[in-house]
Amino acid sequence: MGGVEKKKYERGAATNYITRNRARKKLQLSLPDFRRLCILKGIYPHEPKHKKKVNKGSTAPRTFYLLKDIKFLLHEPIVNKFREYKVFVRKLRKAYGKSEWSTVDRLKDNKPTYKLDHIVKERYPTFVDALRDLDDALSMCFLFSTFPRTGKCHVQTIQLCRRLAVEFLNYVIASRSLRKVGAVVFLSIKGIYYQAEVLGQPVTWITPYTFAHDHPTDVDYRVMATFTEFYTTLLGFVNFRLYQSLNLLYPPKIDGQADVELKPAEGKEYAMDSESYLEKLSALSSSLARVVAPTHEEEVELDEFPVEGTAEQMDARKKEQEALEKHKKLFEGLRFFLNREVPREPLAFVIRCFGGQVSWDKSLCIGATYDVSDPSITHQIVDRPQVQQQVVGRYYLQPQWVFDSVNAKLCLPVADYFPGVLLPPHLSPFVTEQEGDYIPPEKLKLLAMQRGEEPGDASEEEEEEEDSNDKEEEEEEDESEKEEEMKLKKLEEQKTQSNKALPVTVTAGKLRLEDKQRLEQEQQSEEKRLAIMMMKKREKYLYKKIMFGKKRKVREANKLAAKRKAHDAAVKEKKKSKKAQRA
Amino acid sequence: MGQPRGCGARAALTGLQQMSASVSGSSTSVQSLPCPSSGSEELTDSEGSAYSGLQDSGSDSSSSDEEEEQEEGPGGGSVPRTRAKGAPRKRKTLEDDSSLEESKALLAQNEYEEDSSDEEDIRNTVGNIPMEWYQDFPHIGYDLEGKKIYKPIRNKDELDMFLEKMENPDYWRTVQDKMTGADIKLTDEQIDLVQRLQRGQFGDVHFNPYEPAVDFFTHEVMIHPVTNRPADKRSFIPSLIEKEKVSKLVHAIKMGWIKPRKPKDDTPTYYDLWAHEDPNSILGRHKMHVPAPKMKLPGHEESYNPPPEYLLSEEERLAWEQQEPAERRLSFVPRQHRSLRAVPAFPRFIHERFERCLDLYLCPRQRKMRVNVDPEDLIPKLPKPRDLQPFPTTQALVYRGHTSLVRCLSISPSGQWLVSGSDDGSVRFWEVSTARCMRTLPVGGVVKSLAWNPNPSICLVAICVEQSVLLVNPCLGDKLLYGATDQLLESYVPPEEERVQPVRWVTATAEEHGRGIRLLVQHSKAVKQVTWHGKGDYFASVVSDNSNMQVLIHQSSKRWSQNPFRRSKGLVQCVLFHPIRPYFFVATQRYVRVYNLLKQELTKKLMSNCKWVSSMAIHPGGDNIICGSYDSKLAWFDLDLSTRPYQLLRHHKRALRSVAFHRRYPLFASGSDDGTVIVCHGMVYNDLLQNPLLVPVKVLKGHALTLDLGVLDVLFHPTQPWVFSSGADGTIRLYT
């Protein structure tokens, strides 16, 4: 074959990758601009398989992008906008320097802007793709919507984030999609996690607790702002589509009736006209206007298809469906009242999601529908040590009850959640224990309740469990005793053997009972050990790694179990001592 | 014409020139130069003309201006005018309006007068040239008629000059004009000027350099305008043009041609972006795209009120704090709060979001193939050891008696007697079945190696003790048999001519004979291994040496030794005879060399792939070799297959000391420093296409570790599936 011989790094992997700096030069962008472009276009670096080959023999740590990606960026219209913006900034600075205010105004009027619509469409060619990537977008929007409206980032961005977040919450309420099997709201020490099933896709997001942020200094807000810029665009389009799918108006309008009700009462006093809309929307208390007038029979009766399979399967499916339906209407018919010390938004959101009615103090937020004194209130959510004036006919509960009930998919017994009572642990609904994992006893109790056993039984069960545990322990002890016996026997054997050489006395042999099972087990384990010896080096490494992971898991589970046991014992001790004191 | 003349005038005051140049900058004025009455008429004229010439040429350079001023002094007649003329030029800006006008009038007159004297000066017609060119001529240039203009006659010699100097009182103020060659007597004013300039003062006596500065426009705000001009009428009347323009704009607005700028609406507009989902828009890019992994969902420990077992204990918390943030399994400390209102803000919330952002755009993404393998599947499916029986499984007997490490073992071909050599300087003969020590033979040195003669008709044991190999008749078993052996040894007839041998064959003394020793083969250096040929006549010994004398082959019947190798190929570890064919195996540190004894050549070189071979054993079939090495590997060579190991077994945890093959059963064993003997099933098939099957079948334990040594030698019983092992703890164990 003819042709010029190619040099060492002019073919193969080296030509597929490009370093960040070279990519930046190729695009003629500054580093921040390049960063922004990568964020917006979703371009991420790649780790070449043979780094040294790609890095032309050097082992210096470098970031590599795929050359294809960079070529793809080359004809992105936004790149030109970046350059325009750079020119604009230069002009503006010059005008400021010369104090030419009219020029400044003119320039500001003609500030180059860009839209990200096409990028959203390009990155997410189908709607489902967009939904799959919604987690970070939502979390970021919720975070930004809690920022103070000063400094840090543009007020418009914050407002937009707030708007989009509220719109999404409203959608979730309207669609009742916060009903994914077994999951939903989790109060963690970081913030509140939510999970909703939107058109079949689980979407998880986290919101911080409503406190002022202590803004860290080692965080680059420009990067975050760039992400937010993209995420707001994405979320806006997603919201639009979601609202459309429910026949709701977008931007959302509060249902006429409710609107009229609200307006004369408190609208004016509470907020300016321009703001009151968003505020009302964020109250989450009123339903939204639809494009088509809502009919009472919204829910389309699911046609029953003849499903192949046994009757059991059918039954199971039906049961599941029913359970889902029931879960959806968990709070149907209940009327909640939120005291002012509880976090209003998450509670209102969750209660509304499950069909409950919710209200709060008028002065707390716009959109309160009934008063504290309303006799029809069934549950009042309170988060204070004790309630002075209790109204008869309603439960006073701590907010955890709502979340736990939602996660358990049933209204839990209220007794554990009265104000001032030591709360039962709040479990994560995201954990699905597999075999061999540690399951906290509370979870076991919960599972039992879900299966339809009485909560009263649970305590008995617990005791039973304890009993059974004791039995097991006893068994274990028995086993250990046996083992000890065996050991002793072995020792004796050895002794006899050692004694054999010197005195030639024959002692009467003891009848040894051989545990057949045990022998077999031992044999098997030895076989396994021998087989492991014969493994190839690579496979042995892998095997050892896997076994190490498994063993660690078991160890951790055991550790947790032991800890729990110790804790329970300590608690029992305390109780006993208290009882003793009382007596 | 004008310029040369001007230059001429300049040359006239060469002495002054530089001075004046320096003065010129300060733009002094000419306000009142006293008029020198005693100046010569000629000179005056010339100066005047020079000035006018300058005017003509229109040169405005300041230096020429200065010159004019300098030379105005002599030009008596024009003094008042000069003053007037200088003023507007230099200080135009300083004068007020009236003076400006006045000076202008004067200037006009002045110019007019001085023009006339232009053509009269005829003394220098050559122009501004270096005067040296005319040095040798009596004339300088020509006049209008073409006649020479002669220089003034200068024929003064030194004496005349001296006289002149002495007599002429004006000599000091006489200067020669180089241009014309004439002498000029400077006036008092001129001298005064020169002296002032020399002192660095202004040329003008009356000029005061320290006049108070007067601002042209004062810095104070004045109530009156600078110009007192009344405002124009047009400033009171609305502009017609503007009116026209405005009316046009108004009209355009009215007609809707011009619309006011719309206030910019920042709120983004959203629409159904995915209205037309085009399946074609899913490109290769999207298929290649690796979506970012979702954030890990929180577990129970992240709850604000977790179950108590998830809370960290005190020491766990301390350990958490001491870990690097990157190493921690949990990025937070689980905490329990009594109620929801007690939950504080999470201080690292923004950090975590930010880190997520960084992960999204900075982290290389890769599809990681998770090995989803059941670890049980990784374990190779081997035949069950139960199916591979018989093999030794349990410890049956322990042979006690040695007080130090038992280095070597050997067994009689019948399998009835066992011999062992130890560091305590004795060789013991045991009965295998009863573990009874039949004989103890003190040899007075560490026994490195011993080997029972494999020929069943000869009862002879070769023992390495220090520098010699002892051939011992143990006198055990059939009396006929060992008697025959003795006879065989005694039947030796020394050859007629003594041959040169590398070793010395010595017959044992009577005392030694009583103990059983029959022959001594004395080497020059310590012997470390001895091994018999299958026929039982030849034996080989290995000497710890570095030369070619390491391996020696002896013939016991002829008491004859030879050194088969001419050159050393490295430190020999052990040697072996092939059981059937005339091959000889020599193991050096890393290689095993196979020599053909008949052809006397190297047939094969086996790479052991280990660092240091310790021992070697050959399959009774003769086609397979195992090598134990100090880096705890056992290499199985199939000689037909390749020179590299067929399999490298890493069963032991520490160095292998010895390996052995069973003579009948497909078994081999390896003893190691970790105190274990591993018995493996090593099936070799006759079918060449089938590779040997190697299965470990039993790990035998029993030897105690002493001095970091475990099992030193292993040996199979020749007929039974039993294995002996000798250990550093001074015992020999039999496993059956």
Side-chain angles (χ1 to χ4, degrees), chain B residues 166-187:
Chain B
M166 290 290 110
E167 287 167 6
N168 192 356
D170 291 335
Y171 177 79
W172 59 274
R173 58 161 77 179
T174 315
V175 183
Q176 193 194 3
D177 185 358
K178 277 191 182 152
M179 282 297 200
T180 55
D183 286 343
I184 297 165
K185 197 188 281 175
L186 297 181
T187 59

Side-chain angles (χ1 to χ4, degrees), chain B residues 303-319:
Chain B
S303 167
Y304 86 100
N305 182 16
E309 61 268 32
Y310 286 99
L311 296 172
L312 298 185
S313 62
E314 192 60 26
E315 55 264 32
E316 276 173 332
R317 204 177 52 75
L318 279 175

